[in-house]
Amino acid sequence: MKMLVCISKTPDTTSKIAFTDNFTRFDTSGVTFIVNPTDEWYALVRAIEVKEQLQTGSVTVINVGPKENESVVIQKALAIGADNAVRIDADAADAFFVASQIAAHAQQEQYDLIFTGKETIDYNGSGIGGMLAELLDMPYLSLANHMVIDAAGSATITREIEGGVEVVTVNKPFVISAQKGMAEQRIPNMRGIMSARTKPVKVIAPVSVDTYTSIVNYQLPPARTEVKLIDPENPETLIKLLHEEAKVI
Amino acid sequence: MSVLIYVTHANGVIKKSTFETALYARKVADMLGTADVVAVSLGNVSQAELAALGNYGVTRVLADNSSVFTQFDSAAQTKALANAATATNAQVVVLSHNSAGKAIAPRLSVRLKAGLVTGAIDLPVISGASFTVKKSVFSGKAFANYAIHTPVKIVSVSPNAFPVVKGSGSATVEAWQSGVLGADVKVTVKEVKTMSDKVALPEAELVVSAGRGMKGPENWGMIEELADALGAATACSRPVADVHWRPHHEHVGQTGIAISPNLYIAIGISGAIQHLAGVNSSKVIVVINKDPEAPFFKAADYGIVGDAFEIVPRLIQAVKTFKAQNA
């Protein structure tokens, strides 16, 4: 099974979010960057597991971003167990730009499975997988939390829907977005970290893409008013306040 | 010219998210000076159910009740919607940012060469050729205003961001051939498992959530009882889902699901920044925690410092009394 895993660079989950240039740019000073959690924990690890289970195939990770992403996110993915990496040398302008870059590479390589995480924790777009699937004319299984696949590429996938799950079958090639339940996070060991340094990272120039969307500016949410504390001896007051003051019940 | 919406239904019953998108689309159409809000219905939904979309501002419904749509395949749904967009000369397509919308909207963006903003939390600002949409970014820690530069625009609307107000009206329902064939469907749905008696978490207006402070899964009875009394959905924090006290789909937070209910009651959850990211767009937050230093109190509207095991049973009783008085 020839597999491609799309990985994004995102701020660490504990990052304080601030902006510069009159709220038009994300302030990266003091921010630690990581591999987007669902890309790493679920998409990448499940791809590695499939290779281990079938005892054949390859796992390539792909990232659209500047050179520094090689040390920030690509090395981590290689240390966890990807075989090689591709970096498209461009700033990730928007979802369509990123999906178009990945699709241009995937078209040449003819992958069997393409994984993404369910969404990134920075722009929360959740669009890359669906766009890739349409660009490559493949089925798209979004929000998947379980997948079994055989050597022939016939898969049974559980995906989340409102208030439950849907169990579907599909044959390769397809695009899948992975979320919690697909796999368990793996911590790279020393051997993985050492071998990552010798794994190939291919750098590709971007293809030209029309700009579909752009961010005009950012806003921070308004501060919440001070919490109103309710006497624990009279918790019933809460229900009265929720009805009469907050008007939510 | 039209503003197009996609009808989400389960076994022929139209979901609330469709009414949200219909009302959103109606307002967008009014801003653009467009009369038609066209709803695309794929699969078997009754004529009466579809005509009633007129109550939410829909003028026309294109209904393809072909059996190919009994299987949800995002490629087939996208093809149908794209054909409808072309046939009605759609300027804007509005979907819900729910499981169907997340699968279809990105595909449709590619197919229609239309810029997409997912998870919109407000109406667009339209001024001449400029069209900007506000969405939540950094998992609720900030908002971004996105400009869409393409002639056709696609917006998926965050569930629960817009109140549903039922007006009056009736939509014209037209039998319509979407052009989707059996060969377009490559995904086979084997089984759908839903907890039909429970309120689905992403759509819930009221949510009762609990964390490690509950000490063990055996203590969730009172959480469920409080949720049932309120008509709320249940949710949990990440540590609780990680140790399998609760199912993964209940996990709210940065790496779980983000929700924006009218009321979020957090019981025995300290309020780590990753958890807050998933819930801080809730309209009202109540925190119950025995630790007065729990960071969650800083993000809360109402708080009770005390033992959940004493307070929750009394709240259940108070809700039942309240419901009986206001029934």
Side-chain angles (χ1 to χ4, degrees), chain A residues 42 180-181 184, chain B residues 210-212 220 235-252 255-257:
Chain A
Y42 311 125
K180 195 162 197 157
E184 295 285 338
Chain B
R212 268 185 302 195
W220 243 262
C236 70
S237 63
R238 179 173 172 206
V240 162
D242 278 353
V243 296
H244 306 292
W245 288 2
R246 300 296 293 174
H248 283 320
H249 65 78
E250 282 198 0
H251 163 204
V252 292
T255 53
I257 61 167

Side-chain angles (χ1 to χ4, degrees), chain A residues 74-136:
Chain A
I74 289 177
Q75 287 302 313
K76 174 89 181 280
L78 294 172
I80 292 169
D83 297 301
N84 54 63
V86 174
R87 181 174 66 82
I88 312 284
D89 190 26
D91 287 323
D94 74 347
F96 180 69
F97 178 89
V98 171
S100 300
Q101 303 304 330
I102 298 171
H105 165 75
Q107 238 140 18
Q108 290 174 358
E109 292 292 328
Q110 300 285 311
Y111 291 98
D112 298 309
L113 305 184
I114 301 178
F115 292 80
T116 70
K118 80 160 183 177
E119 71 179 46
T120 60
I121 61 170
D122 49 7
Y123 295 100
N124 306 105
S126 71
I128 302 294
M131 287 180 178
L132 271 175
E134 191 69 19
L135 287 163
L136 298 168

Side-chain angles (χ1 to χ4, degrees), chain A residues 164-178:
Chain A
V165 295
E166 189 177 79
V167 182
V168 303
T169 56
V170 65
N171 293 317
K172 70 167 192 181
F174 58 83
V175 180
I176 181 166
S177 86

Side-chain angles (χ1 to χ4, degrees), chain A residues 20-151:
Chain A
T20 60
D21 298 0
N22 199 23
F23 282 87
T24 58
R25 290 171 74 88
F26 172 50
D27 183 359
T28 56
S29 60
V31 172
T32 305
F33 285 94
I34 57 168
V35 182
N36 181 52
T38 54
D39 300 353
E40 178 194 322
W41 303 344
Y42 311 125
L44 175 60
V45 175
R46 188 69 191 115
I48 294 167
E49 286 173 353
V50 169
K51 183 188 158 188
E52 288 168 351
Q53 170 214 328
L54 300 175
Q55 300 193 339
T56 175
S58 61
V59 177
T60 301
V61 290
I62 189 165
N63 172 260
V64 178
K67 170 107 180 111
E68 69 193 52
N69 287 15
E70 289 183 20
S71 56
V72 180
V73 296
I74 289 177
Q75 287 302 313
K76 174 89 181 280
L78 294 172
I80 292 169
D83 297 301
N84 54 63
V86 174
R87 181 174 66 82
I88 312 284
D89 190 26
D91 287 323
D94 74 347
F96 180 69
F97 178 89
V98 171
S100 300
Q101 303 304 330
I102 298 171
H105 165 75
Q107 238 140 18
Q108 290 174 358
E109 292 292 328
Q110 300 285 311
Y111 291 98
D112 298 309
L113 305 184
I114 301 178
F115 292 80
T116 70
K118 80 160 183 177
E119 71 179 46
T120 60
I121 61 170
D122 49 7
Y123 295 100
N124 306 105
S126 71
I128 302 294
M131 287 180 178
L132 271 175
E134 191 69 19
L135 287 163
L136 298 168
D137 193 20
M138 288 183 190
Y140 176 44
L141 294 309
S142 51
L143 309 179
N145 55 27
H146 190 71
M147 176 184 78
V148 288
I149 188 161
D150 64 21

Side-chain angles (χ1 to χ4, degrees), chain A residues 13 118 122-125 134 138 162 165 167 169 180 212 214 216-217 219 224 228 230 233 236 245, chain B residues 99 107 111 118 135 138-139 141 143 145 147 149 188 190-191 193 242 256 282 299 301-303 314:
Chain A
T13 56
K118 80 160 183 177
D122 49 7
Y123 295 100
N124 306 105
E134 191 69 19
M138 288 183 190
E162 279 66 35
V165 295
V167 182
T169 56
K180 195 162 197 157
Y212 279 14
S214 60
V216 181
N217 57 17
Q219 287 167 262
R224 278 190 186 266
K228 186 179 267 189
I230 289 151
E233 296 302 317
E236 294 79 8
E245 188 177 83
Chain B
S99 66
R107 298 196 78 123
R111 205 169 176 105
T118 60
K135 71 163 289 189
F138 296 101
S139 305
K141 293 178 195 167
F143 304 114
N145 291 303
H149 304 292
T188 309
K190 291 288 176 196
E191 194 183 353
K193 293 182 239 182
D242 278 353
S282 306
D301 299 288
Y302 299 99
R314 288 181 63 180

